[in-house]
Structure formats: C-alpha cells, structure tokens
Amino acid sequence: MEKRQLGRSGLRISRMALGTMTWGGDTDPDEAASQLVAFVDAGGTLVDTADLYAGGEAERMLGELLSDLVPREDVVLATKTVARRADGPFGGGASRGALLSALEGSLQRLRTDHIDLWQLHAWDSCVPIEETLSALDYAVTSGKVRYVGVSNYAGWQLATAASLATVPLVSGQFEYSLLERGIEREVVPAAAHHGIGVLPWAPLGRGVLTGKYRTGTPADSRGASAEYAGYVEHHRTERAARIVQAVVTAAEGLGTSPLAVALAWVRDRPGVAAPVVGARDTGQLTGSLAAEDLTLPPAIRSALDDVSGVEFGYPERGTR
C-alpha cells in the first residue's frame, strides 16, 4: 500500500486507515484479529480507535492484538478522546485533568507506553482552548504521545487550535465523501494553510455509496440494526440516490465495485492523507483494500465532482 506524509509532519502512514468503531460490539475478537492481519499484510499501517468505542473495549481488543498477533512497531497507533466515559470530574471533556486521565486509561487498555497519534474527538466549548492545548503539549513532551490531531472541528475551530498550539496539529478527522463534501468550504482550506492532513471518516457515505441500499435495506446491514439505522438513514436522500447511481455507472464502466470508486475518489482529494475505513467483516475490508489499485480517470472524476458538488458562496468565493 502506498504511503503518504501526514500533513507537513514527518509521520508516514498508509493511504488507507483501518477504523475500529464496531470492535467490541458488532465485531468480535476473532473477526477483529482477521481484519488487522489482512490490513497489515496488505501494507496498511494506520489503525484508528477511540476510548469511546464500545466503552473502551475496542482499545482493549486492539491492545491485545498488538501484544499477541501483530508487532506494535508495524502499526501507527491512533486513538481519540474527549467524549464522556464515566461520571466524575475527569470522566470526559477537554479539560487538562480529563484529557490526561483519559490518556492514562488509553495507554493501559492499548498495552503500550506511547500513542503515535492522539486526537481530540470533538471541540469542548466549556473549556478554554489554551487549557486543552496545554494537555496536548504535556502529552508530547512527556513522550507518551508522538503526534496530535483533532476530529470534527469546524473551520474556525481548526484554525484557532492550530494557531495557538505549541506542538503542531498534524491531522484532522472529518466526515468526507461524495455524499458529504461540506468540509471543502472552510475546513479543507484551513487544514491546508496549517499543514494538517485530512483523515476522512465515513468515506463510503456511511455505507450508502456501496449501492447496497438502492433497492431496500439488507437484513445484515447497519441500516437494519437499531443502533445504526439513523446513522445510515442520514444519507438516504434523493440527492444521494443520484450520486450513488453515478458511482454505480462509473464502476460498471471501469469493471470494478462502487465501493472502490467511492473510496478512490475521496482518497485522492486535495489534502487527504488516508480515509478511515471500517468493516463488518474481513470480506468487506478486502473490498476496500482492492481500491488501492484503482486510480479514477480524469473524465470520471470530473463527472463525480459535478454530480456531488458542494455549493460555494460568500465568503468562500470572495466578493465580486
């Protein structure tokens, strides 16, 4: 798998990341092990998790696998924090105390002495950003964290944090796909200005871009589960249907899958370092890994850009 620099940092990562949001829930330990091995064998390095996933169980499972199955040094280990994990003053949020408490918990669950990429999962409006950033500074200078990033920040939040940070922010995770291109208005330009690499989550439009929801809801899909039905339904719109049809048509013309077309499109967008891909099983992950061999022809990329285009106006386009 091709490697890329993460933003303007010296950190090199695979241009696809393995997401673990379902680990400890829909994905059991055996299946998680199979996914991790398949990903690393394909040349993947960046594995992303969070202390929120399955109440910490995803981190525990990953820590066990990195102890017993895949060498720790073969993986760029990324996790996230800020979400409420427990009651009490340090059970969540972006205060210095809560963040450093969360860091110790993640290190224990992941069975490691350092995290390669530690990310703030969300902006916390109740805490001064200077306090939040001071925790990132301590995490890096203490050696417990190598690089830091953020997730789900608005453009102004990203620019503010990047401008005030005493250790560089190297990454930002945002929902980004043919169905969700809103970050192109302000987040992507802010990331480019500050040398921050974009790590898209839900690059397959929460599964909708695979085409499997065109005629209904498969019984074994996330859209059929009580937990994820609303998550998927968000992108089941008339506009989305038009975009999905364009993706399916492109896939047929290229002799590949809609999944590969959608993933290749977002992977090669300006500023993107690596889409974060989750999978219900190893078969799904194998389909995503196959996109590594696909580069979209300019004509097809242009057609997909047109059908999914995000609307720009003032002030993004400036005055006239």
Side-chain angles (χ1 to χ4, degrees):
M1 191 179 299
E2 185 178 317
K3 304 301 187 293
R4 290 175 172 171
Q5 300 295 128
L6 183 55
R8 283 202 292 261
S9 77
L11 180 60
R12 287 177 57 80
I13 59 171
S14 54
R15 64 175 184 172
M16 184 185 303
L18 176 63
T20 63
M21 185 176 72
T22 63
W23 288 22
D26 292 345
T27 303
D28 63 29
D30 290 341
E31 182 55 47
S34 178
Q35 289 185 20
L36 183 60
V37 169
F39 180 70
V40 173
D41 285 350
T45 60
L46 180 58
V47 181
D48 180 71
T49 189
D51 59 8
L52 172 69
Y53 298 162
E57 191 58 29
E59 285 187 331
R60 290 190 190 91
M61 288 173 60
L62 181 54
E64 291 174 3
L65 294 176
L66 293 177
S67 296
D68 303 332
L69 189 63
V70 173
R72 169 68 177 87
E73 59 269 22
D74 290 350
V75 168
V76 177
L77 181 58
T79 192
K80 301 182 289 295
T81 192
V82 168
R84 173 62 55 179
R85 304 174 311 280
D87 295 332
F90 305 120
S95 70
R96 180 182 175 91
L99 289 176
L100 297 182
S101 175
L103 175 59
E104 294 301 328
S106 288
L107 289 169
Q108 291 175 16
R109 289 187 292 272
L110 290 166
R111 300 187 181 187
T112 186
D113 63 356
H114 74 278
I115 291 165
D116 298 308
L117 178 61
W118 194 42
Q119 304 154 100
L120 301 175
H121 213 157
W123 178 271
D124 188 344
S125 61
C126 296
V127 179
I129 186 61
E130 293 85 355
E131 178 180 341
T132 296
L133 295 173
S134 74
L136 300 189
D137 182 274
Y138 170 80
V140 173
T141 56
S142 68
K144 296 179 180 181
V145 167
R146 299 295 191 255
Y147 297 89
V148 292
V150 299
S151 180
N152 302 311
Y153 274 32
W156 71 268
Q157 295 168 343
L158 182 65
T160 299
S163 297
L164 296 175
T166 53
V167 292
L169 301 181
V170 304
S171 69
Q173 279 200 37
F174 312 95
E175 182 171 7
Y176 191 24
S177 73
L178 277 160
L179 300 185
E180 181 53 83
R181 295 178 59 182
I183 67 167
E184 292 178 14
R185 295 187 183 96
E186 295 190 352
V187 171
V188 170
H193 180 77
H194 290 284
I196 295 170
V198 175
L199 302 173
W201 60 265
L204 299 176
R206 310 188 185 195
V208 174
L209 285 166
T210 64
K212 64 185 175 184
Y213 295 106
R214 283 193 299 162
T215 59
T217 303
D220 62 346
S221 68
R222 286 185 182 179
S225 71
E227 183 176 1
Y228 290 108
Y231 175 80
V232 174
E233 196 67 26
H234 176 77
H235 284 317
R236 297 182 71 177
T237 64
E238 290 185 8
R239 173 181 176 273
R242 292 193 296 271
I243 297 171
V244 171
Q245 184 56 55
V247 170
V248 170
T249 300
E252 290 172 349
L254 294 171
T256 188
S257 68
L259 181 157
V261 169
L263 194 52
W265 180 88
V266 73
R267 181 198 66 207
D268 294 331
R269 294 296 293 171
V272 168
V276 181
V277 177
R280 185 180 65 252
D281 53 44
T282 307
Q284 281 189 343
L285 178 61
T286 300
S288 295
L289 294 173
E292 174 67 17
D293 298 325
L294 177 64
T295 299
L296 296 180
I300 288 180
R301 176 169 289 279
S302 179
L304 293 174
D305 288 349
D306 290 344
V307 75
S308 65
V310 62
E311 183 177 342
F312 286 86
Y314 177 83
E316 295 93 356
R317 287 206 184 279
T319 58
R320 295 181 180 178

